[in-house]
């Protein structure tokens, strides 16, 4: 796959997860850029498309976490303002609520409910324990007042 | 909110075509140049300039902060440095914020000025420090101590102001890296040391009871994480300390709420880096620095 094809295929998916984690367009672009740099340098072939996608998410989320842990970031944008640029007015409240969760919680919530990954898969992607994923899911749901059954 | 609403909401979020094209363009440029920006390269470069924690990241990106900058830092009085380190220690937030976004031209000029700073272009004045955001003058650059916020003027910043900010960031990083060398009265120091050792012993007993890992293993995990996960070179880094820390009440998840704090020092860039590692299962909980 050429780099154009890879960017076109995966950048939208990476953008969503990075913007959810970082709440900042410029940091998000940096992370996507770095993720594709690593993708270009990777020598081992992927087992399949799912493996490729999960690998990209792992690299991107690691980069996001590193950015979040370092002091230096691009100037912050208030979440409400960011929400205005991301979604239509009727969804602004929802996305603001999601982005207002602590980053660890909104990341697992996103991977589970939007990307459709299972708990074990999320644990593998984020390199954390399944118990930690479950705990974060529970806290995230509580905070989002999510009412559906597991 | 329910499951469908989260999905619907995220279905509206898309990367712009412009960003997509910019990413492709940058990747082509890097490929053509025969070198790729290292992972976290941009952040590393910024961190190098800021010299916060980051020597770790910067080692492979930049050989060193120019000696002229180091000389400038070394000329700062001990009192000023300890005052700054204390200010940073007391701040309730762990990252600097900005009162507004940079304009596009400010971003561009800041990048150029960071380079120029390393080559000896320094500001004529120092940044104005104020106690709180409320005290920040409206049309002048200042730094609010209480919330570590750079209060930017509403107008476009001048080169002098950008340099003041860059200089202050360097100074803060240097102050933090020097803080550990601050001397204390011997007796007080000894008492504190005894207290610290007793706390460490207590934590260590809990870790042993839970079948946790030792100091050297924690240090090894930290080093390996920097090298393999972050893809960074650890050559030239000094292992400064490995301490146990009770993380109860923090938002970190460890098996028994005890973690190792493994601290590396990059003497070349006056920078330090802390990795927080679960004392039982050895997982890296956080990479941090100051």
């Amino acid at each position: 796959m050429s780099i154009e094809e890879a960017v076109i295929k995966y950048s939208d998916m990476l953008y969503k997860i990075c913007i959810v984690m970082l709440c900042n367009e410029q940091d998000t672009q940096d992370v996507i850029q770095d993720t594709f740099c690593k993708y270009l340098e990777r020598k081992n072939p992927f087992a399949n498309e799912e493996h490729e996608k999960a690998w990209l998410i792992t690299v991107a989320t690691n980069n996001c976490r590193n950015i979040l842990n370092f002091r230096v970031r691009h100037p912050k944008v208030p979440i409400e303002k960011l929400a205005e640029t991301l979604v239509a007015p009727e969804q602004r409240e929802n996305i603001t609520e999601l982005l207002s969760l602590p980053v660890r919680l909104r990341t697992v919530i996103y991977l589970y409910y939007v990307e459709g990954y299972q708990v074990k898969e999320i644990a593998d992607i984020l390199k954390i324990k399944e118990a930690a994923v479950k705990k974060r899911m529970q806290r995230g749901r509580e905070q989002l007042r999510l009412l559906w059954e597991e | 909110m329910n499951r469908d609403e989260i999905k619907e909401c995220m279905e509206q979020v898309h990367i712009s075509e412009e960003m997509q094209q910019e990413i492709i363009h940058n990747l082509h440029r890097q490929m053509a140049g025969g070198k790729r920006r290292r992972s976290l390269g941009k952040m590393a470069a910024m961190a190098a300039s800021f010299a916060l924690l980051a020597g770790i990241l910067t080692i492979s990106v930049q050989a060193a902060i120019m000696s002229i900058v180091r000389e400038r830092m070394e000329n700062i009085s001990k009192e000023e440095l300890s005052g700054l380190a204390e200010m940073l220690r007391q701040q309730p937030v762990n990252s600097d914020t900005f009162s507004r976004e940079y304009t596009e031209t400010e971003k561009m000029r800041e990048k150029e000025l960071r380079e120029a700073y390393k080559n000896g272009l320094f500001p004529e004045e120092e940044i104005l420090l104020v106690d709180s955001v409320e005290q920040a003058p409206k049309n002048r650059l200042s730094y609010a101590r209480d919330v570590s916020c750079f209060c930017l003027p509403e107008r476009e910043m001048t080169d002098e102001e950008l340099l003041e900010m860059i200089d202050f960031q360097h100074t803060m990083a240097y102050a933090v890296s020097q803080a550990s060398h601050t001397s204390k009265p011997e007796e007080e120091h000894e008492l504190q040391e005894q207290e610290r050792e007793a706390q460490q012993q207590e934590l260590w007993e809990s870790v042993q009871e839970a079948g946790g890992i030792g100091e050297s293993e924690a240090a090894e995990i930290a080093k390996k994480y920097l090298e393999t996960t972050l893809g960074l070179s650890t050559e030239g880094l000094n292992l400064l300390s490995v301490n146990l820390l009770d993380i109860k009440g923090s938002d970190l998840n460890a098996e028994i709420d005890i973690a190792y704090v493994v601290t590396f020092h990059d003497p070349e860039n006056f920078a330090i880096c802390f990795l927080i590692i679960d004392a039982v299962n050895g997982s890296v909980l956080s990479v941090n620095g100051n």
Side-chain angles (χ1 to χ4, degrees):
Chain A
M1 195 186 310
S2 72
I3 191 62
E4 281 90 350
E5 287 169 333
V7 172
I8 287 164
K9 185 170 182 183
Y10 292 116
S11 62
D12 197 55
M13 178 271 295
L14 291 177
Y15 177 82
K16 288 180 189 192
I17 182 141
C18 294
I19 200 79
V20 164
M21 287 185 78
L22 299 168
C23 300
N24 181 307
E25 286 263 336
Q26 290 164 304
D27 289 334
T28 292
Q29 183 172 345
D30 285 350
V31 167
I32 299 174
Q33 184 87 39
D34 282 321
T35 304
F36 280 112
C37 278
K38 283 195 170 176
Y39 178 85
L40 276 176
E41 281 200 342
R42 189 184 151 96
K43 287 175 184 145
N44 299 333
F46 293 103
N48 51 44
E49 205 171 294
E50 270 312 301
H51 178 214
E52 186 174 34
K53 183 182 168 190
W55 183 88
L56 284 164
I57 296 178
T58 300
V59 172
T61 51
N62 273 341
N63 284 353
C64 287
R65 282 191 288 200
N66 289 323
I67 280 204
L68 290 165
N69 283 328
F70 287 88
R71 289 173 65 97
V72 184
R73 295 187 62 192
H74 286 104
K76 288 175 188 169
V77 185
I79 287 172
E80 292 76 13
K81 205 175 163 189
L82 177 69
E84 287 173 20
T85 67
L86 292 176
V87 293
E90 65 273 14
Q91 289 291 354
R92 278 181 200 155
E93 197 183 328
N94 284 341
I95 198 152
T96 303
E97 207 176 329
L98 175 66
L99 297 182
S100 301
L101 283 179
V103 64
R104 293 180 315 140
L105 308 190
R106 61 181 188 256
T107 305
V108 294
I109 289 280
Y110 174 85
L111 290 172
Y112 189 84
Y113 291 115
V114 181
E115 288 298 332
Y117 283 111
Q118 297 303 303
V119 169
K120 187 183 179 319
E121 292 170 319
I122 297 173
D124 289 341
I125 286 173
L126 298 178
K127 311 288 179 211
I128 56 177
K129 292 189 167 185
E130 284 183 50
V133 176
K134 285 180 187 166
K135 201 171 173 185
R136 290 179 196 186
M137 292 273 300
Q138 185 196 347
R139 285 185 191 165
R141 278 200 300 263
E142 281 165 8
Q143 291 190 32
L144 280 176
R145 306 186 307 277
L146 294 178
L147 301 173
W148 64 79
E149 293 289 318
E150 265 299 293
Chain B
M1 199 193 304
N2 63 37
R3 175 198 304 256
D4 293 334
E5 281 171 337
I6 289 190
K7 280 197 85 166
E8 277 168 29
C9 153
M10 287 310 298
E11 272 165 14
Q12 290 190 3
V13 177
H14 295 292
I15 188 169
S16 67
E17 205 175 310
E18 191 189 358
M19 189 186 283
Q20 221 170 31
Q21 288 309 316
E22 206 176 319
I23 289 168
I24 292 172
H25 172 77
N26 289 341
L27 289 166
H28 277 305
R29 209 177 48 193
Q30 283 160 19
M31 282 155 71
K35 57 177 182 181
R36 99 161 176 72
R37 186 174 62 176
R38 286 195 67 79
S39 166
L40 301 171
K42 188 167 181 185
M43 184 173 75
M46 290 173 75
S49 304
F50 283 50
L52 287 168
L53 147 308
I56 308 281
L57 297 174
T58 64
I59 288 165
S60 50
V61 180
Q62 289 182 295
I65 289 178
M66 299 299 287
S67 59
I68 195 164
V69 176
R70 186 180 316 169
E71 197 182 320
R72 180 177 174 82
M73 295 296 123
E74 284 169 356
N75 284 332
I76 301 171
S77 71
K78 279 186 181 171
E79 291 72 27
E80 190 180 340
L81 289 175
S82 58
L84 272 176
E86 181 59 18
M87 174 191 85
L88 292 169
R89 199 184 59 76
Q90 288 181 357
Q91 282 171 344
V93 291
N94 63 5
S95 67
D96 289 331
T97 54
F98 300 80
S99 60
R100 65 161 169 81
E101 279 194 85
Y102 286 178
T103 64
E104 287 305 313
T105 50
E106 280 173 340
K107 278 181 213 162
M108 240 160 46
R109 285 190 296 123
E110 193 215 26
K111 200 175 168 189
E112 288 164 8
L113 287 168
R114 284 196 181 282
E115 287 307 308
Y117 182 89
K118 287 181 223 162
N119 292 312
L121 179 65
F122 299 130
E124 288 172 10
E125 305 282 334
E126 286 178 6
I127 196 168
L128 174 69
L129 296 179
V130 293
D131 289 334
S132 65
V133 176
E134 290 73 34
Q135 290 178 11
K138 272 200 172 162
N139 221 19
R140 183 178 167 186
L141 170 70
S142 60
Y143 180 82
R145 291 189 183 97
D146 59 341
V147 286
S148 61
C149 178
F150 285 99
C151 304
L152 313 187
E154 285 169 14
R155 58 169 168 74
E156 183 98 351
M157 279 189 285
T158 63
D159 284 359
E160 164 66 18
E161 285 168 331
L162 284 167
L163 280 170
E164 283 176 14
M165 197 151 67
I166 293 164
D167 188 47
F168 185 60
Q169 287 161 338
H170 271 281
T171 310
M172 282 197 291
Y174 184 69
V176 172
S177 72
Q178 294 298 298
S180 59
H181 299 303
T182 308
S183 61
K184 289 179 180 168
E186 206 170 306
E187 200 178 327
E188 188 193 341
H189 178 77
E190 202 172 308
L191 275 172
Q192 284 182 349
E193 191 54 27
Q194 283 171 3
E195 202 177 304
R196 195 192 71 79
E197 276 175 19
Q199 279 172 349
Q200 288 291 305
Q201 183 58 32
E202 203 177 306
L203 292 171
W204 171 235
E205 281 164 14
S206 306
V207 172
Q208 273 186 312
E209 212 170 284
I213 60 172
E215 280 186 10
S216 56
E217 201 178 336
E220 201 49 47
I221 289 168
K223 202 174 160 196
K224 204 170 164 192
Y225 185 86
L226 292 173
E227 286 170 347
T228 56
T229 308
L230 298 186
L232 306 167
S233 163
T234 54
E235 202 179 318
L237 290 185
N238 298 330
L239 177 64
L240 201 64
S241 61
V242 184
N243 292 312
L244 285 165
L245 181 71
D246 185 342
I247 57 169
K248 208 176 292 160
S250 77
D251 64 347
L252 295 169
N253 268 341
E255 289 206 10
I256 57 165
D257 284 334
I258 298 176
Y260 281 103
V261 181
V262 182
T263 309
F264 291 99
H265 178 224
D266 171 14
E268 191 68 23
N269 291 323
F270 327 119
I272 46 179
C273 171
F274 312 88
L275 285 91
I276 302 180
I277 290 165
D278 190 315
V280 176
N281 64 25
S283 62
V284 177
L285 304 172
S286 165
V287 183
N288 236 311
N290 224 320

